[in-house]
Amino acid sequence: MQCDRAREMIGASIDGELTGSDRQSVMGHLQTCAECAALAQDYARIGRQIAAAGREPAPKGLALRIRASLAEEAETAPKALEAQAASAFTPVPATNRRTWSSGFARQAAGLAAACVLSSALTWGVVTSLAPGMRLESDIVSAHIRSLLQDSPIQVASSDSHTVKPWFNGRIDFAPDVKDLTPEGFPLIGGRLDYIGDRRVGAIVYRRRVHVVNVFMWPAANAEPQAPRFETVKGYNLMTWSRSGISYWAISDL
């Protein structure tokens, strides 16, 4: 089996979609071709990372709060049902009916207000935490998408004077494109991507067999920001801003 044909079938083989002679041919080829075997390992690794990227851990203490709430409800529900049953078969004096209706209305109004307040507080917490987490998740997803493509670039060149003009008219700012070959990060090209509900520029570098994506877009704050490092879902990220541009570099380095 030729390498081109084997590479077309590696994904299906990993997903268990091949049977019979096709599977045997691919597996036999992977045992004799180091490059295709390495590609198969990359596909499997990326698949695991994408699967993990869709999972977010529950907040600490959530399980305990849910159990406590269920236990409290289980304890109070039978008593409430007994009270409702008793009231259903107990005549209510005419003089107390108006008072009972008024009390019930106040309880219902209080319950509705509590529900609204709880929803508002929950929404406030979620919206205050979500933007940063969503941005980091978008960056990781964009990086993984680039690794799944045949090529992570749309304009292939190691010349910054070729890559930078390619973005003219495609994004609303001039990206900072540098060749970092002397530092060990040769420029291989660039592409467009979509992060944080906007079109962004992506400058792509290599470090041996590793791909480094540097995403950039106009910064919300004109003040420069010092570099900040963090690890998200197994990927290393560095972010900073300079001259009105926000930068996010990501790789598995």
Side-chain angles (χ1 to χ4, degrees):
M1 175 175 286
Q2 298 295 323
C3 289
D4 291 344
R5 178 58 177 164
R7 290 174 183 176
E8 292 177 357
M9 303 173 69
I10 285 176
S13 176
I14 293 175
D15 293 337
E17 298 174 359
L18 295 184
T19 59
S21 59
D22 286 341
R23 177 175 174 79
Q24 293 178 0
S25 297
V26 173
M27 299 305 295
H29 180 80
L30 295 181
Q31 293 176 359
T32 59
C33 179
E35 291 186 5
C36 291
L39 181 63
Q41 293 177 357
D42 286 341
Y43 279 6
R45 174 179 57 82
I46 292 171
R48 292 191 297 269
Q49 291 170 342
I50 292 177
R55 301 187 180 98
E56 291 292 343
K60 294 181 179 179
L62 177 61
L64 293 177
R65 293 196 298 272
I66 291 175
R67 291 193 184 100
S69 178
L70 291 175
E72 181 180 356
E73 183 177 350
E75 182 179 351
T76 59
K79 296 180 180 179
L81 290 175
E82 290 177 3
Q84 290 178 2
S87 62
F89 292 97
T90 301
V92 179
T95 55
N96 294 336
R97 290 174 184 171
R98 183 175 301 176
T99 302
W100 181 85
S101 299
S102 177
F104 179 80
R106 286 196 299 271
Q107 290 180 359
L111 179 61
C115 291
V116 172
L117 178 60
S118 176
S119 299
L121 290 175
T122 302
W123 176 251
V125 171
V126 171
T127 53
S128 64
L129 296 178
M133 297 173 60
R134 184 168 62 248
L135 177 60
E136 294 170 359
S137 180
D138 282 355
I139 291 170
V140 172
S141 297
H143 180 69
I144 294 175
R145 280 199 309 270
S146 73
L147 300 179
L148 292 175
Q149 306 302 317
D150 292 335
S151 174
I153 53 179
Q154 291 174 286
V155 52
S157 178
S158 60
D159 184 0
S160 59
H161 298 291
T162 299
V163 176
K164 184 170 183 175
W166 181 86
F167 287 96
N168 291 342
R170 292 181 168 90
I171 51 179
D172 56 358
F173 67 98
D176 186 13
V177 182
K178 294 183 178 180
D179 181 12
L180 302 178
T181 300
E183 289 80 6
F185 295 86
L187 172 68
I188 63 171
R191 72 174 188 282
L192 297 177
D193 218 307
Y194 198 78
I195 294 176
D197 298 328
R198 67 164 298 144
R199 184 181 293 188
V200 304
I203 310 302
V204 187
Y205 298 89
R206 281 198 183 276
R207 175 71 169 178
R208 296 187 293 273
V209 297
H210 303 277
V211 173
V212 182
N213 277 298
V214 181
F215 301 105
M216 57 188 71
W217 59 83
N221 190 343
E223 293 295 325
Q225 302 293 325
R228 174 170 57 88
F229 297 86
E230 58 185 301
T231 300
V232 179
K233 298 174 182 174
Y235 290 96
N236 296 313
L237 284 77
M238 181 175 69
T239 179
W240 72 99
S241 66
R242 185 181 67 242
S243 302
I245 301 294
S246 289
Y247 299 87
W248 283 82
I250 178 172
S251 179
D252 60 352
L253 283 167

